[in-house]
Amino acid sequence: CALNPQATVSDACASYSDLDKLNDRLHSYVHNLANNTDFFSYYRLNLYNKECPFWSDENGLCGNIACAVTTVENEEDVPAIWRAEELGKLEGPQAKHPGRQQQRELRRPLLGNLGEDVGESCVVEYDDECDDRDYCVPEDESASAKGDYVSLAENPERFTGYAGEGAHQVWEAIYRENCFSRPLARDQSGIAPGLSTAPPSGLSPNQAQAALDFKQVMKAHGREQALQSGELEDAMALEDECLEKRVFYRVISGMHAAISTHLCYDYLNQSTGEWGPNLRCYKERLHQHPERIANLYFNYAFVLRAVGKLKDYVQDYTFCTGDPIQDQRTKQMIRTLADAIPSGPQIFDESVMFQDHTADGISLKEDFRNRFRNVSRIMDCVGCDKCRLWGKVQTAGFGTALKVLFEFGNGNAGEDKPILRRTELVALINTLDKISSALKAIDHFREMMAAELASE
Ligand code: FAD
């Protein structure tokens, strides 16, 4: 299974079954690690007190169907709107973040248990300090007020009703961070709203060949359905882009695909009040866009490779849950997981990236890093609590994967590795769990489609 970032869309599809097999082996282990350990099932973030730095929050909310204006104007919509609003809220206990002083006090007995010679500080205490090798803005970088702890297990990512202008504005802003301003949603003219540039027109001979290959692979995988020409063009245009830009786009698109999968899989039927998989939702958002599914697989390989590289790093990591026995168990679980991931460039070969420098002196890596940081800032513009929570967790997870892949060297002893904050590690493992669960959900949707076909 060689999922090389240089691979074209069609190459990525060729490794579906290998990654599926790997996921069959790893899924329950990852899910258990993310949901049933104290360390990984709580996340600290500043969810409510950060303003959207790009446009007025009010605009973001007004696009939401939970917008109050709609409530007043259309009485009929009140119950549905109320539901959408309620659905987007967080549930379960939310512990306040302990202040610095309290953290120091908490840390003392912990260090006592572990021995004063434990060289590393408790990462909880210093997790708001920034490193210039970060790909994400640390959660509380700019705010003096600390964030809250949120139980991730009690706030599953699912359908919330967040949609419309507000959600589109956020997605559009995210895709625009892609260096080459990729068009997002197309209107009838094929031009993305708000963009003056037309999408690529016509395919080069190479692209045309790639398009044929792409269709062949889709056929081999039983995805013969018609591709929207715009999406196909988008996919093919990627073949001509520089490697790093392509990776950036695929990470974002794969994350978008994972979110879509979760909301379709845990969907609320508003007439029956029941939660469950919505096959139509899957068909429209994913099945009819195979390149989105390809990007989800791409992300799986990408994040797995990063987790695999943590094996030696976590050996000296201080987990700080306050329970050394549990910390030891958590550490062992990560090592076991990392051991189970094929090492070397078998899964994903990051060594080919960031070899060139741009003429103006800014390295491509720096540019990439800055753009990814912007994506993490855009998450403060998401107008639904639960969506914002998972949007932040997942961008932080990809940011951590990027940091591990591109700032940790080759894993050799003596290399200067940046410290991973608790929030970064938690985000990484939970992001892996989200992708892994999304792949399982897609498996289930495929079975549902097969059953539907058989019954016709
Ligand atoms: P959208 O998903 O909004 O997509 C907009 C456009 O992007 C599409 O028209 C298409 O052209 C393009 N596009 C779609 N998918 C991809 C892809 N994978 N790759 C490339 N291009 C693509 N809703 C929930 O119910 N639960 C959630 O937890 C949730 N979390 C969210 C988190 C974030 C950060 C954001 C921005 C939104 C979230 N939403 C969530 C809303 C959800 O993602 C959709 O925006 C909403 O359901 C409306 O969907 P849509 O069909 O209009 O298309």
Side-chain angles (χ1 to χ4, degrees):
C1 159
L3 196 57
N4 189 309
Q6 276 173 325
T8 59
V9 174
S10 52
D11 295 330
C13 300
S15 61
Y16 275 5
S17 69
D18 297 313
L19 290 171
D20 274 337
K21 276 183 214 142
L22 196 53
N23 196 36
D24 283 344
R25 281 204 288 128
L26 300 182
H27 174 69
S28 15
Y29 199 85
V30 173
H31 195 66
N32 188 29
L33 182 62
N35 292 276
N36 297 328
T37 59
D38 283 353
F39 186 84
F40 287 110
S41 60
Y42 289 90
Y43 191 64
R44 182 175 66 76
L45 78 169
N46 190 341
L47 196 58
Y48 305 105
N49 302 322
K50 277 188 167 182
E51 278 188 9
C52 168
F54 299 99
W55 59 83
S56 106
D57 277 333
E58 218 178 297
N59 280 348
L61 284 174
C62 275
N64 191 333
I65 54 165
C67 175
V69 179
T70 325
T71 315
V72 177
E73 277 180 3
N74 189 351
E75 238 174 88
E76 246 180 42
D77 286 344
V78 169
I81 287 164
W82 176 82
R83 263 184 181 173
E85 202 173 58
E86 283 305 296
L87 285 168
K89 283 190 182 153
L90 296 169
E91 285 150 25
Q94 292 167 38
K96 276 270 164 231
H97 185 274
R100 250 174 207 266
Q101 181 58 34
Q102 200 187 339
Q103 284 178 37
R104 281 196 193 98
E105 279 158 18
L106 279 173
R107 186 177 157 226
R108 248 175 247 130
L110 187 67
L111 282 180
N113 282 342
L114 293 173
E116 285 297 341
D117 58 344
V118 172
E120 217 175 338
S121 65
C122 175
V123 269
V124 177
E125 186 170 357
Y126 300 113
D127 57 3
D128 56 346
E129 281 165 19
C130 195
D131 185 304
D132 59 9
R133 289 169 291 186
D134 285 344
Y135 287 74
C136 264
V137 181
E139 257 315 312
D140 46 359
E141 185 195 36
S142 57
S144 51
K146 293 290 182 183
D148 299 317
Y149 280 107
V150 174
S151 160
L152 295 176
E154 288 192 46
N155 290 287
E157 191 181 27
R158 45 161 49 175
F159 174 77
T160 64
Y162 177 53
E165 267 307 301
H168 283 182
Q169 191 175 11
V170 174
W171 282 124
E172 190 172 338
I174 292 172
Y175 283 99
R176 271 169 195 259
E177 271 314 315
N178 206 6
C179 323
F180 39 98
S181 296
R182 299 193 57 73
L184 175 59
R186 290 164 186 286
D187 63 14
Q188 294 304 323
S189 65
I191 298 173
L195 288 181
S196 53
T197 49
S201 58
L203 301 177
S204 69
N206 278 352
Q207 287 175 324
Q209 184 53 51
L212 278 177
D213 293 347
F214 185 52
K215 282 181 177 161
Q216 285 298 322
V217 174
M218 291 306 144
K219 203 169 164 186
H221 285 276
R223 296 183 183 82
E224 248 179 298
Q225 73 288 335
L227 288 160
Q228 283 182 9
S229 61
E231 296 253 350
L232 182 60
E233 271 183 8
D234 268 1
M236 291 313 117
L238 282 179
E239 311 306 326
D240 269 0
E241 295 293 351
C242 90
L243 169 65
E244 291 76 9
K245 291 172 181 177
R246 205 158 69 212
V247 167
F248 191 100
Y249 176 74
R250 300 190 81 172
V251 167
I252 300 299
S253 167
M255 180 178 86
H256 195 165
I259 290 174
S260 302
T261 308
H262 285 288
L263 80 88
C264 293
Y265 197 64
D266 208 351
Y267 196 89
L268 177 69
N269 180 331
Q270 300 210 0
S271 31
T272 63
E274 280 172 13
W275 289 90
N278 181 328
L279 190 57
R280 189 172 160 197
C281 176
Y282 165 73
K283 282 183 193 165
E284 288 173 3
R285 295 178 192 236
L286 294 138
H287 188 75
Q288 287 167 10
H289 307 275
E291 73 293 345
R292 295 181 188 171
I293 298 181
N295 292 337
L296 181 63
Y297 277 90
F298 179 88
N299 279 358
Y300 186 55
F302 182 81
V303 175
L304 265 187
R305 168 81 174 134
V307 173
K309 274 184 117 178
L310 287 181
K311 193 167 86 177
D312 296 328
Y313 181 80
V314 292
Q315 185 55 41
D316 300 322
Y317 200 80
T318 311
F319 283 83
C320 298
T321 58
D323 176 352
I325 295 172
Q326 199 186 128
D327 287 355
Q328 199 51 41
R329 208 182 308 132
T330 307
K331 181 178 290 191
Q332 193 46 50
M333 283 180 84
I334 304 184
R335 285 179 61 82
T336 305
L337 173 62
D339 270 339
I341 298 170
S343 59
Q346 247 176 311
I347 289 263
F348 184 90
D349 183 6
E350 71 279 8
S351 69
V352 291
M353 286 180 69
F354 301 124
Q355 299 301 321
D356 295 333
H357 290 256
T358 53
D360 62 4
I362 304 172
S363 75
L364 193 52
K365 189 153 122 182
E366 214 176 313
D367 194 18
F368 191 101
R369 202 191 282 124
N370 288 337
R371 287 173 186 283
F372 207 83
R373 280 183 187 165
N374 267 351
V375 171
S376 79
R377 289 191 185 98
I378 293 170
M379 289 300 147
D380 283 313
C381 306
V382 174
C384 137
D385 295 347
K386 215 180 280 180
C387 312
R388 189 159 64 253
L389 167 67
W390 283 109
K392 278 175 170 250
V393 170
Q394 287 173 81
T395 38
F398 286 113
T400 309
L402 290 164
K403 186 166 163 178
V404 172
L405 291 181
F406 301 117
E407 309 297 337
F408 270 44
N410 295 319
N412 300 328
E415 277 170 335
D416 170 32
K417 296 189 183 63
I419 285 184
L420 288 185
R421 300 175 196 86
R422 195 193 93 92
T423 45
E424 290 178 303
L425 257 187
V426 174
L428 180 68
I429 295 298
N430 275 279
T431 301
L432 179 62
D433 179 41
K434 285 290 136 202
I435 307 171
S436 163
S437 307
L439 291 181
K440 280 280 162 199
I442 286 176
D443 254 3
H444 190 230
F445 276 126
R446 285 176 187 148
E447 281 165 19
M448 286 173 76
M449 285 192 67
E452 191 183 67
L453 266 178
S455 68
E456 273 171 9

